Amino acid sequence: MTTLVEVQDISKSFGAVNAVDGVSLEIDQGQFFSLLGPSGCGKTTLLRLIAGFERPSSGHLLIDNKPMDGVEPNLRPTNMVFQNYAIFPHLNVEQNVAYGLRKKSISKIEKEEMINQVLELVGLSGLNQRSANALSGGQKQRVALARALILKPKVLLLDEPLSALDKKLREQMQLELRHLQRAVGITFILVTHDQEEALTMSDKVAVMFDGKVEQVASPRELYERPTSQRVASFIGAMNFINGTVMEAKNEIGINSDILGPLTISRSQVFGDLTENKIIIGIRPERISIVSDGSSVAGSISGRITDASYFGETTYYKVACGKGSETLTVSAQNSFGQMDYQIGEEVKLNVDIKSLVGFLD
Ligand code: ATP
């Protein structure tokens, strides 16, 4: 893999606000890369710095090994798709898509060919003459994509491009965008605050908080091996259990509140061992509710205190130990299966290999 975009220790402040604070990233050629984080964490500012709409307060940006210091947005090998589409309502589809080509010396026939090709790519074949006013939200988003792609940028920057669409259409467009990215092979950098969107679409995700990148990893690694409690709770649901480190070598011996004594590998534990306190993280689907007969050694006893049905999954709250500690457990529903009832006594098997430990 060759690095296409290199963010080198970039900071950007607006007055007293450090919107981006010492960020370094390497984004590969052909990668679908997402910047994910809560509102105000600096992801849009970072995208705008890559586009050249903002100048960094310090640090450097290289695209395709070329320094971008002082290079205007229109001279960068990037193109941006905005959240509000920014298409021209008085122009038709074809005119909108061709807008960026107007200053290029391309023959009429060649232009038409390019337009038709890119419209086919985004699923708008035949709509060349349709007025932009007469398009649905999803179609407008496709026009915005086509307009950016026709310029064949090396990097396509997408700022929450699907957030204005309803849930069903958004999910459909997520898949389409992913397929489109694979088909054209262009590096996509997507800004989103939606964890599911980042996980389903990306090769790599950078999770940001307070202007800093906290973890860069593949979706699976982020979910299964989050390196901090913040990342773990931002990406999906996780139970956190207090524990004490009893022994720390290649394996870490822990005594924990609900799970009792257990041993996990050093590779499951993140942070530095300064105190003997540890927080253990476990995803709800890594705990299974079993009948007494199929409980294994180390299984724990609990009582169902709440149940929320979500179709394919039910989330249970289970009071464990002396009853003051609660675990969230998710169970896959199969057809006709009986639900566990509130107040029912159950056993829980915990998948110890999936645990993560946070030391600070
Ligand atoms: P959101 O998802 O809400 O768009 P974000 O993660 O994209 O958030 P940014 O828009 O990058 O966050 O903003 C990061 C911080 O910088 C915020 O505190 C924001 O108020 C501030 N900020 C961004 N642009 C400017 C600006 N032009 N002038 C002053 N402050 C700004």
Side-chain angles (χ1 to χ4, degrees):
M1 283 279 180
T2 42
T3 304
L4 186 65
V5 178
E6 215 175 325
V7 176
Q8 297 176 336
D9 199 15
I10 282 191
S11 296
K12 173 72 184 176
S13 37
F14 299 102
V17 179
N18 293 328
V20 173
D21 191 1
V23 167
S24 295
L25 285 174
E26 287 185 0
I27 301 171
D28 287 340
Q29 159 65 41
Q31 203 165 50
F32 199 126
F33 193 96
S34 292
L35 300 171
L36 171 69
S39 181
C41 71
K43 51 198 186 299
T44 300
T45 305
L46 182 55
L47 197 75
R48 291 173 58 80
L49 285 161
I50 297 172
F53 298 133
E54 303 286 356
R55 293 273 164 91
S57 309
S58 62
H60 300 281
L61 172 76
L62 278 79
I63 302 180
D64 214 7
N65 288 319
K66 295 187 185 71
M68 290 291 121
D69 309 75
V71 177
E72 292 299 325
N74 60 334
L75 298 176
R76 297 187 180 203
T78 55
N79 216 320
M80 187 132 155
V81 177
F82 296 93
Q83 191 171 355
N84 57 3
Y85 320 132
I87 61 174
F88 303 113
H90 58 287
L91 300 182
N92 67 22
V93 167
E94 183 172 292
Q95 289 162 335
N96 261 291
V97 172
Y99 190 76
L101 298 178
R102 69 198 183 288
K103 285 186 191 151
K104 300 196 189 278
S105 50
I106 304 170
S107 74
K108 204 170 163 226
I109 293 179
E110 206 181 331
K111 215 181 246 187
E112 230 163 74
E113 217 167 88
M114 286 170 79
I115 291 168
N116 288 336
Q117 254 178 19
V118 78
L119 285 181
E120 192 181 338
L121 207 56
V122 299
L124 288 181
S125 284
L127 292 189
N128 304 46
Q129 306 305 325
R130 174 82 63 89
S131 158
N133 277 325
L135 295 172
S136 68
Q139 287 170 328
K140 283 183 185 155
Q141 187 59 74
R142 287 167 216 256
V143 171
L145 271 171
R147 190 180 54 187
L149 286 170
I150 203 165
L151 299 169
K152 301 203 167 69
K154 288 199 168 103
V155 188
L156 189 68
L157 306 168
L158 304 120
D159 186 6
E160 306 252 12
L162 308 180
S163 60
L165 307 177
D166 66 58
K167 187 169 187 289
K168 258 255 132 13
L169 185 55
R170 197 164 69 230
E171 286 170 358
Q172 182 194 333
M173 286 295 288
Q174 285 170 1
L175 290 178
E176 283 190 26
L177 254 187
R178 182 66 184 143
H179 288 149
L180 181 68
Q181 189 269 338
R182 289 207 176 117
V184 293
I186 292 173
T187 304
F188 278 28
I189 308 180
L190 171 83
V191 158
T192 182
H193 62 269
D194 180 330
Q195 315 90 21
E196 267 180 45
E197 185 162 298
L199 294 190
T200 49
M201 293 169 83
S202 321
D203 297 308
K204 274 233 163 114
V205 182
V207 185
M208 291 181 70
F209 294 105
D210 305 329
K212 293 189 166 70
V213 169
E214 188 135 328
Q215 187 174 1
V216 184
S218 69
R220 182 179 284 274
E221 199 183 337
L222 264 189
Y223 188 78
E224 293 182 356
R225 290 288 181 259
T227 54
S228 70
Q229 280 188 71
R230 270 212 292 201
V231 172
S233 42
F234 192 69
I235 313 272
M238 191 168 251
N239 294 290
F240 294 108
I241 300 166
N242 290 320
T244 308
V245 175
M246 308 303 284
E247 193 180 359
K249 291 183 184 154
N250 284 342
E251 303 219 300
I252 311 277
I254 301 163
N255 202 358
S256 69
D257 278 0
I258 301 180
L259 305 174
L262 55 101
T263 304
I264 60 178
S265 149
R266 183 70 182 94
S267 65
Q268 289 170 257
V269 177
F270 301 96
D272 300 319
L273 188 67
T274 45
E275 292 178 73
N276 60 357
K277 272 196 223 139
I278 187 166
I279 304 285
I280 297 164
I282 175 115
R283 299 279 182 204
E285 70 277 13
R286 299 294 170 212
I287 308 173
S288 43
I289 304 178
V290 290
S291 59
D292 250 355
S294 44
S295 62
V296 294
S299 75
I300 49 183
S301 303
R303 186 172 41 81
I304 308 274
T305 58
D306 196 13
S308 317
Y309 178 78
F310 280 88
E312 58 176 35
T313 311
T314 299
Y315 285 87
Y316 293 100
K317 297 259 183 236
V318 185
C320 302
K322 294 179 198 92
S324 55
E325 315 246 16
T326 301
L327 290 178
T328 301
V329 180
S330 71
Q332 289 282 325
N333 292 323
S334 52
F335 184 71
Q337 171 194 308
M338 294 287 287
D339 289 336
Y340 293 99
Q341 301 301 313
I342 291 175
E344 198 172 332
E345 300 288 338
V346 291
K347 291 273 184 202
L348 302 177
N349 284 351
V350 175
D351 177 3
I352 300 292
K353 284 205 164 48
S354 75
L355 296 182
V356 277
F358 305 109
L359 288 170
D360 40 35

